């Protein structure tokens, strides 16, 4: 395997200098004399629709997609794209129904919503859960998988790569959401261009020809020789049914995954919470269009790698330390086949995805700890400058914790992407139930929300470890378990809402909030039409 060559390093350092310089320029141009928490954490009013959309994607697409989803593309094929294409549909729903509620009620953090709608106890418990999830699952996974890929491509020491990625992300994060939001536009540019270049060359390698003719022939060859890798819906007989159980991806638990992630997640919603409604909606719609493109960048290379592997290429390189095929190695191995220069561009795309996600996640961790825990319970009299300083300290501490614990999280056991989905799935049903019921049913109360958040987590954990009676829950797909836990939470919340006193903490809502402007409606219809076509084509 060839390592990075001089031209690759030149391309990569060009990316590094562009992002760093642009970030510093944005910081100097937009910094205020007195830093405020709203300005630092939310970049209030300064992010454009294209910056919001790009930042949403840059924060979402990271090592778990490039490495984990390409690995799933290698093993199961196009079916894993359902996470991306269903997310595009979900973003339309979030823009229409969720964002108006947040902005109308001046919500800046997700725990703040829970405090305003229920009580401070619910908010504090959820803030702690979110911090644990963001640090111990998301941040650690992004760092671990990112360092694994960077180390595999560059030949540099794994620990050095982990620390270097963390430091780069810290530099961006301490500039606040303005710097993150606008540098994410550059990150997405490198991510898309570098990702498409990798896909283009990988498919050309499959066809043994060049140019657009090579793309057409390569795709035709992959579909002909590996038809099992081009289906979106898996039957019960499929070995991948446990991960993507049939129509559940269209009618069941996949909606909980996506609506919770895109609509009730500080890490994501934070990008739009500082904007006006029209700007926020346009940014989210832009992100939906980018989401439609993501499988081309992160899944097709995995399928191409499988086609090349089936021809007898890089047989040894795909093996893990235990001598078994490690699908997560597909993308790094593929990058090592690229010519000098383009390999550097693809390397920059991968690094951009990792760093942008690390920065976004660290900023959200900092926001929740500073505004929902420190400000309310520890430093009640702290001024704005002190809170911003605490926020920056939390960024550094969270990165250090992630570096220390990531080797012990078992991220590589099931594949990085699947690890994140299953761990997040322990909390998603209860969180989503507490939000959606809190949005639209005024009698929903604090007792119900506490049951959903704590009880839902315990039920999901019991099922995950097969402690719950009445069935062998390890044989039930985790998406179906999520759907069942969500239904239990909603039923209990409904009962508690009926039998306990009405707390009368409904939100400010009127029907006109949910009427998007004409251009948004046209864009949303186009997104949904494309998704319908894709599922019809690759059923």
């Amino acid at each position: 395997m060839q390592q990075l060559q001089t031209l690759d390093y030149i391309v990569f350092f060009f990316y590094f200098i562009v992002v760093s310089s642009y970030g510093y320029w944005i910081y100097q141009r937009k910094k205020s004399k007195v830093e405020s928490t709203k300005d630092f954490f939310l970049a209030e009013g300064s992010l454009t629709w294209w910056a919001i959309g790009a930042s949403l994607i840059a924060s979402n697409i990271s090592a778990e997609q490039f490495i984990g989803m390409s690995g799933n593309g290698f093993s199961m094929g196009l079916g894993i794209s359902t996470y991306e294409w269903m997310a595009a549909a979900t973003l339309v729903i979030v823009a229409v129904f969720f964002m108006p509620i947040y902005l109308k009620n001046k919500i800046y953090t997700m725990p703040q919503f829970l405090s305003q709608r229920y009580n401070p106890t619910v908010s504090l418990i959820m803030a702690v859960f979110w911090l644990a999830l963001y640090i111990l699952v998301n941040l650690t996974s992004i760092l671990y998988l990112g360092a694994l890929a960077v180390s595999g491509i560059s030949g540099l020491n794994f620990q050095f790569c982990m620390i270097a990625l963390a430091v780069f992300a810290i530099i961006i994060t301490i500039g606040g959401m303005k710097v993150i939001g606008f540098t994410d536009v550059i990150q997405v540019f490198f991510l898309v261009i570098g990702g498409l270049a990798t896909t283009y060359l990988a498919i050309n390698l499959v066809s043994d020809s060049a140019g657009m003719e090579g793309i057409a022939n390569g795709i035709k060859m992959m579909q002909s020789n590996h038809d099992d890798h081009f289906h979106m819906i898996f039957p019960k007989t499929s070995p991948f049914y446990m991960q993507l159980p049939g129509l559940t991806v269209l009618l069941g638990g996949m909606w909980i995954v996506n609506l919770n992630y895109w609509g009730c997640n500080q890490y994501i919603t934070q990008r739009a919470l500082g904007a006006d409604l029209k700007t926020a909606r346009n940014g989210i719609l832009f992100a939906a269009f980018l989401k439609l493109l993501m499988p081309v960048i992160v899944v097709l290379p995995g399928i191409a790698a499988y086609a090349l592997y089936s021809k007898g290429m890089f047989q040894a390189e795909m093996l893990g330390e235990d001598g078994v095929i490690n699908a997560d190695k597909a993308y790094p191995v593929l990058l090592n086949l690229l010519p000098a220069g383009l390999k550097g561009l693809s390397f920059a795309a991968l690094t951009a995805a990792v760093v942008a996600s690390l920065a976004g996640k660290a900023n959200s961790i900092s926001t929740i700890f500073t505004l929902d825990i420190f400000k309310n319970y520890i430093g009640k009299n702290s001024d704005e400058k002190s809170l911003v300083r605490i926020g920056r300290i939390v960024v550094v501490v969270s990165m250090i914790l992630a570096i220390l614990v990531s080797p012990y999280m078992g991220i590589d056991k099931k594949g990085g992407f699947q690890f994140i989905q299953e761990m997040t799935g322990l909390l998603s049903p209860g969180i989503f139930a507490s939000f959606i019921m809190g949005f639209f049913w005024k009698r929903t109360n604090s007792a119900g929300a506490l049951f959903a958040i704590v009880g839902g987590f315990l039920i999901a954990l019991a099922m995950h470890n097969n402690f719950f009676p009445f069935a062998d829950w390890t044989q039930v797909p985790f998406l179906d378990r999520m759907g069942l836990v969500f239904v239990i939470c909603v039923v209990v919340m409904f009962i508690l809402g009926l039998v306990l006193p009405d707390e009368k903490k409904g939100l400010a809502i009127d029907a006109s909030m949910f009427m998007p402007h004409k251009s948004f409606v046209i864009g949303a219809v186009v997104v949904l039409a494309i998704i319908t076509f894709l599922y019809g084509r690759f059923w």
Side-chain angles (χ1 to χ4, degrees):
M1 285 289 178
Q2 58 172 338
Q3 301 297 340
L4 294 178
Q5 299 178 27
T6 303
L7 183 57
D8 296 316
Y9 282 112
I10 291 173
V11 172
F12 176 78
F13 282 116
F14 173 75
Y15 147 74
F16 179 84
I17 290 168
V18 167
V19 173
S20 301
S21 301
Y22 184 65
Y24 182 75
W25 180 74
I26 289 291
Y27 175 73
Q28 290 295 327
R29 181 170 172 259
K30 293 183 174 291
K31 72 178 181 179
S32 53
K33 293 181 179 179
V34 179
E35 288 184 296
S36 69
T37 51
K38 288 181 183 178
D39 188 67
F40 180 77
F41 294 115
L42 296 172
E44 189 173 22
S46 65
L47 294 184
T48 59
W49 65 267
W50 44 269
I52 290 171
S55 189
L56 282 168
I57 296 304
S59 299
N60 167 244
I61 300 297
S62 185
E64 70 264 29
Q65 272 82 12
F66 270 100
I67 306 305
M69 197 169 275
S70 287
N72 286 129
F74 180 94
S75 58
M76 72 170 66
L78 196 62
I80 197 64
S81 301
T82 196
Y83 279 99
E84 303 301 301
W85 290 337
M86 289 299 287
T90 302
L91 281 164
V92 172
I93 295 173
V94 169
V96 174
F97 295 105
F98 287 41
M99 291 313 301
I101 295 174
Y102 291 143
L103 296 178
K104 176 80 171 180
N105 292 275
K106 302 187 185 303
I107 301 297
Y108 297 117
T109 73
M110 295 300 95
Q112 179 197 348
F113 164 80
L114 295 173
S115 179
Q116 185 172 316
R117 178 60 182 84
Y118 299 115
N119 63 36
T121 301
V122 175
S123 173
L124 178 61
I125 291 172
M126 196 62 252
V128 172
F129 274 6
W130 262 315
L131 288 176
L133 178 69
Y134 287 172
I135 295 174
L136 298 180
V137 175
N138 298 105
L139 202 63
T140 56
S141 299
I142 295 167
L143 258 181
Y144 182 89
L145 292 172
L148 188 69
V150 171
S151 176
I153 297 164
S154 65
L156 297 171
N157 176 269
F158 173 79
Q159 287 294 335
F160 171 80
C161 291
M162 186 177 284
I163 293 170
L165 287 170
V167 170
F168 191 5
I170 287 171
I171 291 171
I172 293 175
T173 312
I174 59 176
M177 182 53 75
K178 286 177 184 174
V179 174
I180 294 171
F182 282 101
T183 55
D184 277 351
V185 176
I186 306 295
Q187 306 275 37
V188 165
F189 173 80
F190 279 97
L191 188 158
V192 171
I193 297 301
L196 288 175
T198 304
T199 302
Y200 174 83
L201 289 165
I203 296 176
N204 276 324
L205 285 171
V206 172
S207 66
D208 290 322
S209 54
M212 295 311 295
E213 182 181 349
I215 291 290
N217 291 337
I219 292 176
K220 187 181 296 183
M221 288 173 64
M222 289 192 296
Q223 287 186 275
S224 175
N225 298 332
H226 309 290
D227 177 67
D228 60 323
H229 274 56
F230 285 88
H231 294 285
M232 296 298 299
I233 307 298
F234 294 122
K236 283 190 175 182
T237 54
S238 170
F240 306 110
Y241 183 80
M242 289 294 292
Q243 291 172 262
L244 293 172
L247 289 177
T248 293
V249 301
L250 294 177
L251 304 173
M254 184 62 74
W255 283 106
I256 299 171
V257 171
N258 278 303
L259 285 168
N260 178 69
Y261 180 87
W262 294 101
C264 312
N265 183 351
Q266 183 70 29
Y267 177 45
I268 296 300
T269 57
Q270 190 164 342
R271 272 109 190 102
L273 291 178
D276 62 83
L277 182 57
K278 184 177 180 180
T279 302
R281 276 180 167 159
N282 286 340
I284 293 171
L285 184 63
F286 178 44
F289 275 102
L290 290 175
K291 262 297 178 187
L292 295 175
L293 182 65
M294 286 303 113
V296 176
I297 294 173
V298 298
V299 179
L300 276 184
I303 301 176
Y306 180 78
L308 294 170
Y309 178 83
S310 299
K311 287 184 175 182
M313 297 180 65
F314 45 76
Q315 300 283 313
E317 288 80 4
M318 286 300 299
L319 298 178
E321 294 181 2
D322 55 2
V324 178
I325 292 176
N326 181 354
D328 279 353
K329 288 191 171 187
Y331 200 82
V333 167
L334 195 61
L335 290 196
N336 278 319
L337 298 177
L338 300 183
L342 284 174
K343 184 178 176 183
L345 180 62
S346 298
F347 185 48
L350 176 60
T351 305
V354 174
V355 170
S357 287
L358 285 173
K361 187 64 68 178
N363 184 267
S364 295
I365 291 167
S366 175
T367 302
I368 290 175
F369 179 84
T370 305
L371 299 185
D372 296 300
I373 295 179
F374 184 86
K375 183 179 180 181
N376 292 335
Y377 298 97
I378 301 171
K380 294 182 178 181
N381 298 320
S382 299
D383 58 21
E384 292 285 285
K385 187 175 181 180
S386 298
L387 291 174
V388 170
R389 184 172 65 250
I390 291 295
R392 290 189 169 121
I393 292 171
V394 171
V395 168
V396 176
V397 171
S398 63
M399 287 290 185
I400 293 172
L401 284 174
I403 291 172
L404 293 176
V405 304
S406 62
Y408 306 102
M409 293 301 293
I411 297 167
D412 56 343
K413 296 295 189 296
K414 290 189 175 182
F417 186 76
Q418 193 67 17
F419 169 82
I420 292 172
Q421 299 308 316
E422 293 196 16
M423 293 300 100
T424 305
L426 297 177
L427 285 172
S428 296
I431 296 174
F432 181 55
S434 65
F435 271 77
I436 201 72
M437 292 289 282
F439 284 160
F440 300 114
W441 195 44
K442 190 174 181 179
R443 289 187 66 93
T444 306
N445 55 37
S446 302
L450 279 173
F451 173 83
I453 293 169
V454 180
F457 168 72
L458 294 176
I459 293 170
L461 187 63
M463 287 182 175
H464 181 75
N465 293 287
N466 208 30
F467 293 150
F468 209 76
F470 313 125
D472 181 4
W473 295 101
T474 60
Q475 299 305 308
V476 179
F478 86 97
L479 284 173
D480 289 342
R481 295 200 305 260
M482 286 178 61
L484 180 58
V485 174
F486 173 74
V487 170
I488 292 172
C489 290
V490 169
V491 169
V492 173
M493 292 179 77
F494 182 76
I495 293 171
L496 290 174
L498 292 176
V499 301
L500 293 179
D502 186 357
E503 297 176 352
K504 299 186 185 301
K505 284 195 174 183
L507 301 167
I509 294 178
D510 61 78
S512 63
M513 293 164 46
F514 305 118
M515 296 298 294
H517 48 284
K518 184 177 180 180
S519 60
F520 177 91
V521 172
I522 294 171
V525 169
V526 172
V527 168
L528 297 176
I530 292 172
I531 294 169
T532 302
F533 168 79
L534 290 169
Y535 275 94
R537 174 65 181 82
F538 297 107
W539 184 271

